[in-house]
Amino acid sequence: MEKLKNLWDDKLWFKILVIVVILALSYWFGIIAILLGFILFIYAIVTVIRKYILKKNTRFKVRYILLSFLALTIMGGYGYAQTHPEEMEQSRIRQQETKKAAETKKAEDAKKAAKAKKAEDAKKAAKAKKAEDAKKAAKAKKAEDAKKAAKAKKAEDAKKAEAAKQAEAAKQAEAAKQAEAAKQAEAAKQAEAAKQAEAARQAEAARQAEAARQAEAAKQAEAAKQAEAARQAEAAAQAQAAAQTEQNGNSSGYIRDANGRWHRSNGQFASKKEIAAAGLVW
């Protein structure tokens, strides 16, 4: 085995000989070559997985394995076709029959599909027409409902406007009534206030008049009291003067009458100078 390996590594003619032998065997044993080729293809996939995914070392390179797979498959297929023409012909006939049956079946399926598609299209068209009619009916109904709704809304708005107008009129009437009541209440209040003010003014005037009357009475009483006191003082002074005059008159001969005038002993009026010279008070 080691010797064969050395020949493979060192001798080119050995490599060529091995390749020719393998190709010849592949030509004569086509089925086996094709089977080996598929095994090599699977081994090439496993090698790729081990080398590039699992990161493991591989014994053979992937390109050599793939080249071996192609060589075995091509040569095996060609050899099998050349060495087994009857089987290839039968296989070709079977393939043609299978292909024809497949085409017939395909045509039948296409026909059935076309028929089914036509029925489906008719059904879809009927359904679409029905949907379109329903859509138009719905649209017409929607327009009618919108028209009715707009009419109802307009009537409702008019009704609300009338109600609002009546409410506003009632509100204004109530406001006017309240304003009139407030005005009357204010007038009554002002009249009452004026009445109370007039009563207070009259009471104040009466009080002031009473106070003035009392002050006047007190003033008159005081004046009468002062007049009485003055009269009494004057009377006392006259009495005193009369007493003194009488006393002086009796000594000097002058007499004072009730009016305070001095007279001589002969009854004639005396002058102030005489009275002063006599030491009397005028």
Side-chain angles (χ1 to χ4, degrees):
M1 194 69 177
E2 186 68 23
K3 189 176 181 180
L4 292 174
K5 184 178 179 182
N6 292 330
L7 286 173
W8 177 264
D9 294 334
D10 299 334
K11 303 298 182 178
L12 179 61
W13 61 267
F14 184 75
K15 291 181 180 180
I16 296 171
L17 178 61
V18 170
I19 292 171
V20 170
V21 171
I22 291 173
L23 291 176
L25 291 174
S26 300
Y27 179 82
W28 291 104
F29 302 99
I31 297 297
I32 298 173
I34 293 171
L35 181 61
L36 290 174
F38 278 106
I39 292 172
L40 288 174
F41 180 74
I42 295 170
Y43 184 71
I45 294 173
V46 172
T47 303
V48 169
I49 294 172
R50 285 173 57 84
K51 183 175 182 180
Y52 296 104
I53 298 177
L54 301 178
K55 305 296 183 181
K56 292 182 178 181
N57 295 326
T58 57
R59 186 174 181 181
F60 301 102
K61 293 184 179 181
V62 178
R63 61 177 177 269
Y64 295 150
I65 299 172
L66 290 175
L67 288 173
S68 300
F69 154 71
L70 291 174
L72 289 172
T73 304
I74 294 170
M75 184 57 68
Y78 179 75
Y80 183 81
Q82 294 297 321
T83 57
H84 300 81
E86 296 85 2
E87 293 181 3
M88 292 298 295
E89 182 65 22
Q90 290 178 1
S91 177
R92 186 181 63 79
I93 292 171
R94 284 196 300 269
Q95 288 180 358
Q96 288 180 353
E97 289 177 353
T98 304
K99 184 177 180 182
K100 186 176 181 181
E103 289 178 353
T104 303
K105 187 175 183 299
K106 187 176 180 181
E108 187 67 23
D109 292 340
K111 188 177 180 181
K112 289 180 180 179
K115 188 175 180 181
K117 186 175 183 299
K118 187 176 180 181
E120 184 67 21
D121 291 341
K123 187 177 178 181
K124 286 183 179 179
K127 190 175 180 180
K129 187 174 183 301
K130 187 177 180 180
E132 185 66 23
D133 294 339
K135 186 177 179 181
K136 287 181 180 179
K139 188 175 181 181
K141 187 174 182 300
K142 188 176 180 180
E144 184 66 22
D145 292 340
K147 187 176 180 181
K148 288 181 180 179
K151 189 174 180 181
K153 187 175 183 299
K154 188 175 180 181
E156 184 67 20
D157 292 341
K159 186 177 179 181
K160 286 182 180 179
E162 183 64 24
K165 185 178 179 181
Q166 292 178 359
E168 184 65 23
K171 184 178 179 182
Q172 290 179 358
E174 182 65 21
K177 184 178 178 181
Q178 290 179 358
E180 183 64 24
K183 185 178 179 182
Q184 291 178 358
E186 184 65 22
K189 184 178 179 182
Q190 290 179 359
E192 182 65 23
K195 184 178 178 182
Q196 290 179 359
E198 181 64 23
R201 188 182 64 78
Q202 290 179 359
E204 182 65 21
R207 188 184 65 76
Q208 290 179 0
E210 181 65 21
R213 187 184 65 76
Q214 290 178 0
E216 183 66 24
K219 184 178 180 182
Q220 291 179 359
E222 183 65 24
K225 184 178 179 181
Q226 291 178 0
E228 181 64 22
R231 188 183 63 76
Q232 289 178 1
E234 181 68 23
Q238 289 179 0
Q240 185 178 2
Q244 188 177 0
T245 300
E246 185 176 355
Q247 183 178 3
N248 292 331
N250 292 331
S251 60
S252 61
Y254 291 97
I255 299 170
R256 195 174 187 178
D257 59 12
N259 294 324
R261 298 293 301 274
W262 290 94
H263 298 273
R264 299 187 188 93
S265 58
N266 58 5
Q268 294 180 352
F269 288 101
S271 63
K272 289 183 178 182
K273 190 180 285 188
E274 292 178 5
I275 295 304
L280 299 174
V281 180
W282 182 263

